Amino acid sequence: MAPPRLVVLTGAGVSAESGLGTFRDKGGLWTQFDLADVATPDGFARNTDLVHQFYNARRANAAAAVPNAAHVALARLSMALGDDLLLVTQNVDDLHERAGSRDVVHMHGTLTGAVCGVCAHRWTAPAVMTPRAPCPACGRPTTRPDIVWFGEIPFFMDRIAEALQACDIFVAIGTSGTVYPAAGFVAEAAAAGAETLELNLEPSAVVSDFDASRFGPASVIVPAWVDEVLQGR
Ligand code: OAD
């Protein structure tokens, strides 16, 4: 299959207007919880109940949220471009899929997935994941959310690296540019010759790595950008 011409990376900012909190903005998740407690393998080993409570609450919030105009615009782009677009998200909600995007690459995992911490068997997460629930395949009490934690390697890195090398345009939307490897994608794409654009509420930590940037709420600036891309075709 030919590589995608356009790679879009989304972060928590794309789901903010659906009512899902971001991590580092005022009142964000990492101002309320210590990420070492709820988003690391060590935190899970120390307090399994707390980590399950944290992700059960996030799963309930995501299930109650609805896609906003940014998700809908990106779904329009996905339907129009097909394999010419690779939509990579750091988000663990499923709002891109529920807006109609297909083949979304969840590099930090998904709230809708469960995985066995021992045998790596994967299955659909129940709405409420119970601490020490047995894995349906091996029976060990080692069920965890299928989420990438700090200190773990994000998913689909080979597929993403290949797309960044080959794309003509790389666009990052609603991400603070503070968590690697995703924060380094703009530099990888630019080094390989792609045009780069940041769409964000405020400049990210890596804004100077982009050729261009536009600032505003995702529900406004993403549909406007998608209209431009589709008019040019
Ligand atoms: P952050 O919370 O770090 O950044 C959110 C970004 O969205 C900021 O740049 C905001 O300015 C922007 N933003 C907020 N509201 C917006 C809106 N309405 N429209 C557009 N932009 C808006 O979230 P991420 O960059 O996604 O990883 O965080 C990256 C990773 O850090 C997450 O995937 C998660 C977290 O720790 C793991 O848990 C492994």
Side-chain angles (χ1 to χ4, degrees):
M1 196 197 298
R5 311 310 325 162
L6 172 58
V7 176
V8 171
L9 170 71
T10 64
V14 86
S15 295
E17 290 163 85
S18 295
L20 300 182
T22 64
F23 296 94
R24 297 172 181 81
D25 293 311
K26 195 162 174 272
L29 281 174
W30 295 158
T31 67
Q32 304 169 46
F33 295 88
D34 187 338
L35 73 80
D37 289 337
V38 296
T40 64
D42 281 355
F44 188 59
R46 270 199 310 275
N47 193 341
T48 308
D49 294 40
L50 174 73
V51 175
H52 277 300
Q53 275 165 24
F54 176 75
Y55 287 101
N56 284 339
R58 292 190 64 197
R59 191 176 299 107
N61 290 343
V66 290
N68 65 54
H71 298 107
V72 171
L74 289 169
R76 208 155 37 91
L77 192 66
S78 161
M79 284 179 258
L81 298 191
D83 294 337
D84 273 347
L85 169 72
L86 186 69
L87 177 55
V88 180
T89 187
Q90 298 166 90
N91 298 344
V92 293
D93 66 58
D94 60 354
L95 294 178
H96 283 308
E97 286 88 343
R98 283 163 50 204
S101 283
R102 52 189 201 109
D103 193 21
V104 181
V105 173
H106 281 273
M107 63 178 291
H108 289 168
T110 59
L111 289 163
T112 51
V115 62
C116 174
V118 174
C119 77
H121 176 69
R122 288 186 152 79
W123 65 102
T124 301
V128 177
M129 211 179 268
T130 318
R132 287 167 291 283
C135 164
C138 74
R140 292 187 184 91
T142 45
T143 296
R144 57 169 276 183
D146 196 4
I147 303 270
V148 177
W149 287 326
F150 286 89
E152 298 181 323
I153 298 170
F155 299 142
F156 309 112
M157 289 309 293
D158 289 348
R159 183 173 177 198
I160 297 168
E162 200 181 309
L164 292 171
Q165 283 302 313
C167 69
D168 300 323
I169 304 175
F170 171 78
V171 182
I173 304 174
T175 177
S176 60
T178 50
V179 176
Y180 285 81
F185 290 172
V186 57
E188 274 181 66
E195 261 179 61
T196 59
L197 171 66
E198 170 165 287
L199 302 177
N200 210 0
L201 192 60
E202 291 170 350
S204 73
V206 291
V207 67
S208 59
D209 290 348
F210 288 87
D211 297 319
S213 42
R214 298 182 194 174
F215 302 112
S219 65
V220 175
I221 60 176
V222 174
W225 170 71
V226 167
D227 285 347
E228 280 172 38
V229 173
L230 295 181
Q231 266 161 25
R233 283 173 63 85

